[in-house]
Amino acid sequence: MSLIVQKFGGTSLAGLDRIRHAARRIVETRKAGHEVVVVVSAMAGETDRLVGLAHDISPDPDPREYDVLVSTGETQTSALMVMAVQALGVPSRSFTGAQVRVRTDTAHTRARIQAIDVAPIRDELARGAIVVVAGFQGTDQEGNITTLGRGGSDTSAVAVAAALKADWCEIYTDVEGVFTSDPNMVPAARKLERVSYDEMLEMASLGVKVLQIRAVKFAKQYGIPLHVRSSFSDEEGTWVVTEEDVMERLVVSGVTYNRGEAKVTIFGIPDTPGVAARIFSEISDSGVVVDVIVQNVSTRGHTDLTFTVPRGDLSRVLPLMQRLADEFGAAGITSDDSIAKISVVGLGMRDHAGVASKMFRVLSEEGINIEMINTSEIKISVVIEEKYTELACRALHEVFELGAGTGISEES
Ligand code: ASP
Ligand code: MG
């Protein structure tokens, strides 16, 4: 008998039919002899609706009251799920975040989990019940309701799994798993059977939206295997596991793209200590998150600095950069919002030389110019012209042999 946490996302709970469908799956797992704890999101669109109401009634909603309101989406689905399970003749009981004492800090709208009291869950499991916990919500030390940030019910599920020392955590969503690339962009993309926590973290930070990044960090920290799968089919999804448990050793396991950034260059700034610190602290003070940064070699005491920011923030960053350029006596600024960041991610990069050169060669063969490069231990990102996004993704997917049936390579 295993203890399994099953988390259902909004699309898997959109309407009573989907909830009944999920309930049948939960009961099947129970009848197969496992203990089951369920964590639910709100119905698809419900959190957006509640957030909209809050902003309609106040331009700047009180964060405490905002959390009281938006947490109700998950409270609804937890009770409905229990009713659906009970209708199948199985005992079940719901718990709010407060009732299982998901204790968080006081950072309303983006609280972090500090502890969970699993005793009430264990009691219910002991009497043979299926426990349903409302995701996304907790309470702070004073008992105020808090929420964990958008997509936070993934984190709730993994935290509950960690606290219960569950055998694994299943994340039910509307996609089949984690793919080697976006199938809409790369038709040859295929579902990965297994991927490591670190690869998943890189992919999530590059914009692959199947899992909340905090949930993956939590799972890695506590060694909880995650099974990302679709509630619309019975197929196995993708397991997110430790490196040792990733059997299929791929040099590269994914190709991702991001067309949501813009590039800013400031030319001819003094190459003296403190200039970069000043520029980037002004940008971060304005609430903008910088991604890739490249600084040129210095000539005659001056240098150029190029960086990317979310496209939607460009209009905020440009006047700021103009002011700094004037202040530093810089030669000028330019920007480009038709760029794309293309990345390859893979554990195998650690012990295979030549991934970067292969990537750059393939792009050059397609006539694609590389404007910026950024690497981590298991990732290489390049910034290119946006119009080449599809070509670049397909070419890289092919050269790294990620297509159906070709992905497996013997370790060398
Ligand atoms: N319902 C919340 C949201 O939409 C939490 C979640 O679904 O994970 O952000
Ligand atoms: Mg969600």
Side-chain angles (χ1 to χ4, degrees), residues 7 10 41-42 47 74 136 149-154:
K7 183 257 168 178
S41 276
T47 309
E74 276 72 9
F136 184 50
R150 300 306 305 269
S153 53
D154 285 349

Side-chain angles (χ1 to χ4, degrees), residues 245-296:
D245 289 334
V246 181
M247 264 106 89
E248 190 186 16
R249 279 278 165 194
L250 301 175
V251 177
V252 165
S253 7
V255 177
T256 69
Y257 65 92
N258 178 347
R259 293 184 289 197
E261 294 183 11
K263 187 178 79 164
V264 181
T265 302
I266 174 162
F267 296 103
I269 44 165
D271 192 9
T272 48
V275 173
R278 186 55 206 295
I279 291 174
F280 291 109
S281 59
E282 292 243 0
I283 296 174
S284 85
D285 289 348
S286 75
V288 174
V289 180
V290 172
D291 183 17
V292 185
I293 303 175
V294 172
Q295 183 182 305
N296 218 334

Side-chain angles (χ1 to χ4, degrees), residues 380-399:
I380 304 168
S381 298
V382 295
V383 171
I384 62 170
E385 261 186 273
E386 181 178 8
K387 65 179 182 196
Y388 294 124
T389 306
E390 185 176 293
L391 182 62
C393 288
R394 290 184 184 184
L396 291 168
H397 197 269
E398 195 180 319
V399 79

Side-chain angles (χ1 to χ4, degrees), residues 212-250:
Q212 205 203 27
I213 203 163
R214 276 166 62 194
V216 185
K217 285 191 185 154
F218 225 123
K220 178 184 175 185
Q221 188 182 342
Y222 290 94
I224 303 289
L226 301 179
H227 186 186
V228 183
R229 58 192 306 190
S230 167
S231 68
F232 296 80
S233 87
D234 289 327
E235 298 279 304
E236 282 265 306
T238 302
W239 284 88
V240 186
V241 293
T242 62
E243 258 173 57
E244 297 73 51
D245 289 334
V246 181
M247 264 106 89
E248 190 186 16
R249 279 278 165 194
L250 301 175

Side-chain angles (χ1 to χ4, degrees), residues 54-249:
H55 286 103
D56 285 349
I57 209 155
S58 158
D60 186 19
D62 180 80
R64 182 186 184 279
E65 304 312 321
Y66 173 99
D67 277 351
V68 172
L69 178 68
V70 302
S71 66
T72 59
E74 276 72 9
T75 311
Q76 295 167 19
T77 45
S78 65
L80 288 168
M81 184 59 84
V82 165
M83 294 175 197
V85 170
Q86 288 172 342
L88 297 170
V90 178
S92 181
R93 173 171 283 195
S94 70
F95 288 94
T96 64
Q99 287 169 328
V100 277
R101 289 182 280 270
V102 176
R103 258 275 298 289
T104 70
D105 61 15
T106 57
H108 283 292
T109 79
R110 52 187 164 79
R112 302 189 75 86
I113 296 176
Q114 292 172 333
I116 296 185
D117 177 8
V118 289
I121 299 181
R122 290 233 181 264
D123 291 347
E124 285 301 312
L125 290 175
R127 73 169 185 101
I130 289 173
V131 175
V132 181
V133 178
F136 184 50
Q137 41 172 275
T139 51
D140 69 10
Q141 207 162 359
E142 266 87 63
N144 300 299
I145 294 175
T146 54
T147 61
L148 306 180
R150 300 306 305 269
S153 53
D154 285 349
T155 302
S156 305
V158 178
V160 166
L164 285 167
K165 301 192 173 58
D167 292 273
W168 68 86
C169 178
E170 296 179 352
I171 308 274
Y172 285 95
T173 174
D174 52 2
V175 295
E176 297 277 324
V178 182
F179 280 71
T180 51
S181 196
D182 176 359
N184 297 314
M185 184 65 74
V186 182
R190 69 183 171 91
K191 187 174 67 191
L192 289 160
E193 269 169 44
R194 285 161 185 249
V195 70
S196 69
Y197 296 120
D198 285 334
E199 287 167 312
M200 195 63 238
L201 281 171
E202 284 284 6
M203 289 185 193
S205 68
L206 293 167
V208 173
K209 289 204 179 65
V210 281
L211 281 172
Q212 205 203 27
I213 203 163
R214 276 166 62 194
V216 185
K217 285 191 185 154
F218 225 123
K220 178 184 175 185
Q221 188 182 342
Y222 290 94
I224 303 289
L226 301 179
H227 186 186
V228 183
R229 58 192 306 190
S230 167
S231 68
F232 296 80
S233 87
D234 289 327
E235 298 279 304
E236 282 265 306
T238 302
W239 284 88
V240 186
V241 293
T242 62
E243 258 173 57
E244 297 73 51
D245 289 334
V246 181
M247 264 106 89
E248 190 186 16
R249 279 278 165 194

